[in-house]
């Protein structure tokens, strides 16, 4: 049995060991990701608190500008659209300005952040007027009064939903909002014989903040620091499914990626579809390491093979799981026949 003096020498040693273990546990804890606003701008089922703060057009009466929730279009369905409508008898060049804004949110912890969105531009029946759009995304700090221009892009032709990211930084305790201003203009003057609507749509608009601790105020469904909302944002657009798909006989080859920002292995379930409720292939399941890509082979159903062979593009449903977080996207890929 150790002496009293020996026991006294053991006390600081034990305390030091305990402290070191605590420090090690703290240092090895995974960094969490908080996502803002709370529903990550998925627009599933409604506008989720987003509002239109400005809508104007240079052609009085003959041009209508509107920002509105769109429940049909998105990735998955649901988005916020900036629509410009031109009357049939309008002449000259049009220019509209539409600003939409997220609900306010308060950041729990400071850190580097990524502002993500998916955008789609549809020329519609105004394609002969060669419309183009420039949108700017601003991070508004309500607390400090500082506005940060995070992202700007000019789109000169129709474009599908495509993911865009920008790096920003935030302060703990400050209240923020995300503002998007879209300026849509024609480059060919109208003759009065062309009318219709052109739209730019935004989906999965979210601010992801890397923090030092677990948990967070961003959203539910945490999967080891990854929320379902963040996962949805990361795999949308060009985040996960990579085209084109390749058809070889009765087999479909599709490349999938697990985004590096997820930080963990993705469990992927992939299926080819003739329509949303009409499967063309069996479901293929696989694990993909973060930051890596993998070719998945899907077997085309015999009854669907002729229809698949006649397609130039095919719809795919992808479900990704990371821990308890999960997300599903639908995407059309160009189909290459070999």
């Amino acid at each position: 049995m150790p002496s009293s003096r020996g026991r006294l020498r053991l006390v600081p040693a034990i305390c030091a060991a305990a402290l070191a273990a605590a420090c090690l546990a703290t240092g090895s804890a995974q960094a969490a990701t908080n996502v803002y606003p709370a529903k990550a701008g998925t627009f599933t089922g409604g506008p989720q608190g987003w509002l239109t703060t400005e809508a104007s057009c240079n052609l009085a009466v003959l041009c209508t500008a509107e920002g509105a929730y769109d429940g049909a279009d998105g990735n998955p369905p649901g988005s916020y659209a900036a629509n410009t409508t031109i009357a049939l008898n309008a002449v000259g060049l049009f220019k509209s300005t539409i600003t939409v804004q997220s609900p306010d949110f308060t950041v729990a912890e400071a850190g580097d952040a990524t502002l993500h969105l998916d955008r789609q531009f549809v020329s519609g029946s105004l394609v002969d007027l060669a419309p183009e759009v420039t949108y700017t995304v601003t991070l508004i700090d309500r607390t400090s009064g500082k506005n940060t221009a995070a992202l700007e892009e000019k789109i000169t032709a129709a474009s599908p939903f495509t993911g865009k990211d920008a790096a920003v930084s935030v302060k703990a305790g400050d209240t923020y909002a995300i503002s998007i201003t879209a300026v849509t203009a024609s480059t060919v003057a109208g003759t009065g014989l062309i009318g219709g609507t052109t739209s730019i749509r935004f989906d999965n608009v979210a601010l992801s903040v890397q923090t030092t601790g677990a948990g967070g105020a961003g959203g539910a469904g945490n999967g080891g620091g990854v929320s379902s909302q963040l996962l949805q944002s990361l795999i949308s657009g060009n985040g996960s499914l990579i085209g084109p798909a390749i058809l070889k006989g009765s087999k479909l080859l599709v490349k999938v990626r697990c985004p590096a920002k997820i930080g963990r292995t993705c469990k992927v379930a992939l299926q080819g579809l003739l329509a949303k409720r009409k499967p063309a292939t069996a479901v293929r399941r696989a694990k993909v390491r973060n930051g890596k890509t993998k070719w998945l082979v899907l077997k085309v159903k015999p009854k669907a093979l002729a229809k698949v062979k006649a397609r130039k593009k095919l719809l795919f449903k992808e479900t990704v799981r990371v821990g308890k977080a999960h997300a599903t996207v639908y995407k059309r890929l160009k189909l290459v026949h070999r």
Side-chain angles (χ1 to χ4, degrees), residues 84 121-131 157-158 194-199 201:
T84 304
F121 183 47
V122 180
S123 302
S125 55
L126 299 180
V127 63
D128 289 342
L129 302 182
I194 301 173
T197 301
T198 183
S199 304
R201 301 184 180 103

Side-chain angles (χ1 to χ4, degrees), residues 79-95:
S79 59
Y80 208 97
N83 303 316
T84 304
T85 302
I86 303 300
L88 187 63
N89 57 343
V91 295
L93 298 171
F94 74 82
K95 181 178 181 181

